[in-house]
Amino acid sequence: MLLPNVVMKFTTWNVRSLNDSIKRCLVRDFLSRSAIDIVGLQESKLSNPSSRKLRSIGGKKLPHWCHLDSTEYRGGVLVGWSDSFSLIHSHVSIFSVLVFLHHKPSNWRFTSTSVYAPTDRDDGDVCWWELNRVRDIFSGPWVLCGDFNTTLSSDERSDRNGSLRDINSFRDFISSASLIDLPLSGRSFTWSKKRLVPSMARLDMYLVCVE
């Protein structure tokens, strides 16, 4: 049970590579300035990052990390958390990183997962299977965030396009896992492809279970 006055700040961010030291500094400054407690970073493009490199991202505020390595300079997921949490268990899959955490101030335990879903349709089916499998293993409160590379409806794309099959597969996963899509506030889209007339979509989101 959460204490009434306890607040935890989460964020998710497709950073599109953290190989540049200046970019890592910018990310670290944002996380510190925003007092983030748990962060999920997608498309890190880092493979086997050193503890020094992870410190350059999280600084003193987010000293703990679990990571999924990139493959051939593609993909890569990082999950970082503050000293307010102790790690009970971690699990790295093909497309996601899961951490089972104990929040010390509230004595609350929950699972947080960051995912970078693939764009390929067949791989997408594997991703939804993977997340459902993780859910079967780790029951209880769950926070799932990341770049899902698909939308829940054609309205979540500026051009109103998108594969109906992909949309239905994503919806089926959310329904089977009993998740709630937290609404986006202040904007309609989270991703833009730079063009004269940009193509925009809501690909990044937070999903939570009832608990």
Side-chain angles (χ1 to χ4, degrees):
M1 178 69 69
L2 279 174
L3 298 176
N5 60 344
V6 171
V7 175
M8 288 177 279
K9 297 183 73 175
F10 295 70
T11 194
T12 182
W13 189 355
N14 183 323
V15 289
R16 299 181 184 177
S17 181
L18 287 171
N19 285 293
D20 182 74
S21 59
I22 295 177
K23 191 169 187 180
R24 292 198 301 272
C25 182
L26 292 172
V27 172
R28 183 190 66 223
D29 289 348
F30 165 79
L31 297 175
S32 176
R33 187 172 63 253
S34 304
I36 299 300
D37 296 298
I38 302 178
V39 60
L41 302 174
Q42 301 87 42
E43 209 172 354
S44 68
K45 297 186 180 179
L46 297 178
S47 180
N48 194 26
S50 65
S51 56
R52 181 177 180 181
K53 186 167 287 187
L54 293 174
R55 282 197 302 272
S56 72
I57 301 168
K60 295 181 179 179
K61 297 291 183 67
L62 295 169
H64 309 289
W65 292 90
C66 187
H67 61 88
L68 167 64
D69 288 344
S70 65
T71 304
E72 297 178 352
Y73 301 102
R74 292 177 295 183
V77 177
L78 296 172
V79 175
W81 61 95
S82 72
D83 282 328
S84 297
F85 305 87
S86 58
L87 178 67
I88 301 171
H89 188 80
S90 63
H91 183 76
V92 178
S93 300
I94 303 172
F95 302 108
S96 63
V97 173
L98 173 151
V99 290
F100 183 30
L101 299 173
H102 170 232
H103 185 238
K104 301 171 188 176
S106 65
N107 200 32
W108 190 53
R109 297 184 177 194
F110 66 101
T111 299
S112 180
T113 302
S114 180
V115 59
Y116 182 51
T119 55
D120 180 83
R121 176 173 293 172
D122 292 334
D123 286 344
D125 290 339
V126 174
C127 181
W128 309 140
W129 175 88
E130 171 187 306
L131 293 172
N132 267 315
R133 176 61 176 161
V134 164
R135 184 56 177 159
D136 289 340
I137 299 172
F138 298 92
S139 59
W142 189 26
V143 179
L144 172 61
C145 70
D147 183 345
F148 292 89
N149 268 315
T150 188
T151 62
L152 286 170
S153 73
S154 58
D155 293 338
E156 294 183 336
R157 293 183 180 272
S158 59
D159 55 12
R160 304 285 176 141
N161 290 329
S163 164
L164 184 59
R165 181 185 182 278
D166 292 344
I167 290 172
N168 287 335
S169 294
F170 190 27
R171 285 182 169 181
D172 288 344
F173 157 68
I174 291 177
S175 176
S176 65
S178 299
L179 294 170
I180 300 169
D181 170 33
L182 297 183
L184 187 64
S185 176
R187 65 182 65 191
S188 299
F189 310 107
T190 65
W191 171 87
S192 175
K193 189 169 185 179
K194 294 181 180 179
R195 294 175 176 171
L196 188 59
V197 180
S199 175
M200 297 177 288
R202 182 188 176 223
L203 304 180
D204 311 272
M205 60 189 74
Y206 265 93
L207 307 172
V208 297
C209 66
V210 174
E211 295 94 335

